[in-house]
């Protein structure tokens, strides 16, 4: 059983909170957000506690943190969590600056803690459908694919493929 704290109670934090709360191998311990009311609401919904960042990082019983805050805070939180000895799962990107992201990765490496960066789009049914269409030659010779999605809405259903690709 891993004790995991969530940093960030916005849209993606709420998605992760549901996953943490329903995972039988996880004890979802706490939520931190700069908007303390939002953190309290999310924590209460899932039986966790709303706590300060300092309390979470200083708690020896918290094994890992899941960083789901705004992009501009990822690198700093990653560094702080790693230096506190916490395993880290961080939403992408670490930072918009390569240099800042590289520094955060170096700090985490020196701390010797496990770190994973979230990039789940490769598992979305729509992305998988495009990969299959390319592999099957349905799109001709493909030189580059550039895709984007917009939050906070959920991805479109997999049926979009039949409307777009064919």
């Amino acid at each position: 059983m891993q004790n995991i704290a969530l940093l960030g109670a916005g849209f993606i934090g709420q998605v992760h909170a549901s996953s943490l709360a329903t995972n039988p191998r996880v004890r979802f311990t706490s939520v931190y957000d700069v908007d303390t009311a939002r953190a309290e609401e999310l924590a209460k919904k899932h039986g966790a506690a709303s706590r300060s960042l300092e309390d979470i990082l200083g708690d020896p019983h918290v094994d890992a943190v899941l960083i789901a805050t705004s992009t501009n805070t990822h690198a700093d939180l990653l560094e702080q969590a790693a230096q506190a000895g916490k395993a880290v799962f961080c939403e992408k990107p670490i930072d918009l600056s390569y240099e800042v992201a590289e520094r955060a990765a170096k700090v985490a490496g020196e701390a010797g803690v496990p770190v994973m960066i979230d990039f789940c789009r490769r598992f979305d049914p729509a992305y998988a459908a495009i990969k299959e269409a390319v592999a099957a030659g349905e799109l001709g010779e493909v030189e580059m694919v550039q895709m984007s999605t917009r939050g906070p809405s959920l991805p479109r259903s997999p049926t979009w493929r039949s409307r777009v690709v064919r």
Side-chain angles (χ1 to χ4, degrees):
M1 180 75 70
Q2 296 291 306
N3 295 318
I4 301 179
L6 175 65
L7 310 182
F11 171 77
I12 200 63
Q14 292 175 38
V15 171
H16 285 300
S18 294
S19 297
L20 291 171
T22 58
N23 187 322
R25 296 180 297 178
V26 167
R27 185 175 298 114
F28 179 23
T29 64
S30 44
V31 179
Y32 161 76
D33 195 280
V34 293
D35 182 338
T36 55
R38 187 165 58 177
E40 288 170 8
E41 183 179 333
L42 186 60
K44 183 178 179 182
K45 179 179 178 179
H46 294 289
S50 174
R51 299 172 69 193
S52 72
L53 178 63
E54 294 76 20
D55 285 348
I56 289 170
L57 296 181
D59 185 342
H61 301 293
V62 172
D63 302 308
V65 297
L66 192 157
I67 300 172
T69 54
S70 58
T71 298
N72 64 316
T73 65
H74 290 178
D76 183 53
L77 292 172
L78 173 58
E79 290 179 21
Q80 288 185 60
Q83 290 171 332
K86 309 299 181 196
V88 178
F89 180 90
C90 184
E91 271 292 330
K92 64 169 177 17
I94 294 174
D95 195 83
L96 297 178
S97 159
Y98 178 79
E99 292 78 17
V100 172
E102 188 175 45
R103 184 192 73 229
K106 182 178 184 215
V107 168
E110 290 170 353
V113 297
V115 175
M116 182 175 179
I117 306 302
D118 182 29
F119 186 67
C120 61
R121 290 289 183 212
R122 66 183 177 266
F123 301 111
D124 281 352
Y127 280 52
I130 289 174
K131 181 180 179 187
E132 290 170 15
V134 169
E138 294 177 26
L139 302 177
E141 187 175 332
V142 177
E143 293 182 22
M144 180 175 78
V145 175
Q146 182 175 344
M147 304 172 76
S148 65
T149 59
R150 304 284 190 271
S153 63
L154 294 173
R156 292 182 275 177
S157 74
T159 59
W160 73 272
R161 179 176 179 266
S162 62
R163 294 189 306 270
V164 175
V165 174
R166 296 187 198 266

